[in-house]
Amino acid sequence: MDYTTSHISFLVSVGLFTIALFALSLADRCVIGARWFAASTLIEFIKTALQGLNGHIPRLYTVCLANELNVLAFFAMFLGFRWFVVRRPFRAWGWLIPMAATMAVYPFMFLLKMRNWSFSVIGLPVLGICLATILVLWRQKNERFAIPARLTAFLVGINFVMLLYRCVLSIRENSAVGITTPWQDPRWMYSMLVILFVAYCLLLMYTLFTVLEMHANVTHVAGVDALTGALNRRMLMKYASRKFDLSLQTERPLAAIAVDLDNFKRVNDTYGHGGGDVALCAFVELVKETLRPDDVIARTGGEEFVLVLPGMDRDSAAALAENLRYSLEQMRIHYDGRLITMTTSAGVTERRPEDSLAAMLERADRLLYRAKAHGRNCVVTDDHLAQHPKPILVERLRGSRSQSGKMA
């Protein structure tokens, strides 16, 4: 395959990937990284099209402008990968000053026909961006992107080596005597073919990162209760199964709490379903303030919830449940000019050696019903009614949950 055929094939591929990435970015506007990838491929498409017009329009456009667009394409690529693996706003704008200065100097060097040095100068920002991209990808800690990030870092590393090699060729004027264009030098040609191959692979990586993120978003939405933000039953079982197996392997404790809001039908009847929704959200927020990063709360029914607490024994879980019970009892939720008060009952258990996950959760549920039979507004463990010293009452001041409801 000669250079012209490779160039046309790459142009068509970039065009197709540009369309696909723009479509994906529009399908899920939350995936900001896909927009950067789409911008990168669009710039790459324009650059490649300009290079294909070499000999038909001035070289100022086919070479000088194309090389500057290449810098912008790599920078958009860097921002795209950074969004996926860092998820923090980019604030290091200061290091862009050297890049902008280089891009400003390059046209003058090109017009002065300093070809050997001008190519190396415009290559410097790309080399810097490649190194920054490799660093970001290699340091990422997201399990979802572990393998793609390492593979992409390897590809960008190959691109860095090839570009550096071409810069050295350009500076040392290593083209053979009598050759009128760089493409007649096999070293220049083969290094460019390697760069084209890496570019193909990076296009695939753009798509892979985007699809993985969109799949994770869909999975998250499918596993979360739309009203409260707690996990749903399906995601609870998936998470709890993983933590249950880990607890068996490490012999660490695992506790579960089944919770039910007492007489919640009264809340709906008195304040309407809007008030009930605000109350449910307020309760989940209260629980999330108390839980550790590995703990989860799931909504398993209308006003029924389950908490899974890895590494926590029964007594510690009972103390947590009692604190939640007391905090909810003292909480006042403002809704439509009125105050909503609630209480809760809870059943607490921990994993036993002979347990299955289903058996543990079923036991927590039975203990919950024992708490309700005991008069509600209490916590019951495997052995007894939990009695814990009540903390000093501190008024809870919360912001508005919605336009019509707030907590205090």
Side-chain angles (χ1 to χ4, degrees), residues 23-338:
L24 290 172
S25 66
L26 291 175
D28 190 344
R29 296 178 183 272
C30 294
V31 185
I32 308 299
R35 301 184 196 177
W36 286 116
F37 286 158
S40 178
T41 54
L42 178 60
I43 297 170
E44 184 73 23
F45 179 81
I46 297 171
K47 181 207 80 172
T48 307
L50 285 174
Q51 290 174 334
L53 294 174
N54 192 28
H56 301 282
I57 61 175
R59 286 174 57 83
L60 179 65
Y61 303 106
T62 61
V63 178
C64 181
L65 179 58
N67 283 334
E68 297 221 320
L69 288 175
N70 187 53
V71 176
L72 297 178
F74 269 88
F75 183 62
M77 175 198 73
F78 165 74
L79 292 178
F81 284 126
R82 188 182 184 280
W83 184 88
F84 281 102
V85 302
V86 177
R87 304 299 176 91
R88 291 195 304 270
F90 180 75
R91 294 191 175 92
W93 297 106
W95 74 273
L96 296 182
I97 296 175
M99 186 179 84
T102 303
M103 294 178 67
V105 169
Y106 170 66
F108 294 99
M109 297 182 68
F110 181 83
L111 292 173
L112 292 173
K113 297 184 179 181
M114 302 170 62
R115 292 183 181 178
N116 296 333
W117 288 99
S118 63
F119 178 82
S120 300
V121 166
I122 198 61
L124 289 176
V126 179
L127 291 172
I129 293 170
C130 285
L131 286 177
T133 304
I134 293 170
L135 188 63
V136 166
L137 291 171
W138 205 259
R139 287 182 173 179
Q140 77 87 33
K141 299 178 181 179
N142 193 323
E143 251 181 65
R144 185 166 66 253
F145 298 122
I147 295 177
R150 297 294 189 273
L151 180 57
T152 305
F154 176 71
L155 291 170
V156 176
I158 294 175
N159 195 90
F160 174 87
V161 171
M162 288 297 101
L163 180 57
L164 185 61
Y165 175 69
R166 287 160 65 83
C167 288
V168 172
L169 285 181
S170 176
I171 293 174
R172 296 177 62 182
E173 298 182 327
N174 274 340
S175 293
V177 177
I179 291 177
T180 56
T181 65
W183 301 111
Q184 293 175 280
D185 187 338
R187 294 169 299 179
W188 195 267
M189 168 67 82
Y190 293 143
S191 62
M192 187 63 204
L193 290 177
V194 172
I195 290 175
L196 283 177
F197 174 75
V198 170
Y200 276 115
C201 295
L202 287 176
L203 291 174
L204 293 174
M205 290 297 105
Y206 294 171
T207 308
L208 179 60
F209 271 77
T210 302
V211 170
L212 286 174
E213 180 67 20
M214 294 179 72
H215 178 265
N217 288 346
V218 170
T219 302
H220 175 75
V221 171
V224 173
D225 176 57
L227 173 64
T228 62
L231 300 184
N232 58 24
R233 182 182 290 273
R234 172 179 168 274
M235 187 57 68
L236 167 69
M237 297 308 296
K238 182 178 179 180
Y239 175 85
S241 295
R242 189 165 64 246
K243 293 301 179 182
F244 189 87
D245 292 341
L246 183 62
S247 175
L248 287 174
Q249 294 170 11
T250 60
E251 297 184 354
R252 295 186 64 208
L254 175 70
I257 305 175
V259 180
D260 183 84
L261 298 179
D262 299 328
N263 299 313
F264 192 73
K265 185 176 182 299
R266 175 185 59 81
V267 175
N268 280 329
D269 292 343
T270 305
Y271 305 98
H273 287 288
D277 290 348
V278 169
L280 288 171
C281 293
F283 171 71
V284 172
E285 182 178 333
L286 172 68
V287 175
K288 287 183 175 180
E289 290 175 358
T290 306
L291 297 183
R292 302 165 303 170
D294 279 349
D295 302 335
V296 296
I297 176 173
R299 186 183 181 193
T300 56
E303 65 274 10
E304 297 177 355
F305 299 86
V306 169
L307 281 66
V308 177
L309 312 167
M312 189 175 290
D313 60 22
R314 184 193 63 190
D315 291 340
S316 299
L320 183 146
E322 173 61 19
N323 284 334
L324 286 175
R325 184 207 65 76
Y326 184 73
S327 296
L328 182 65
E329 183 182 34
Q330 302 302 316
M331 189 167 66
R332 302 294 180 265
I333 304 167
H334 291 264
Y335 176 77
D336 198 22
R338 293 178 289 176

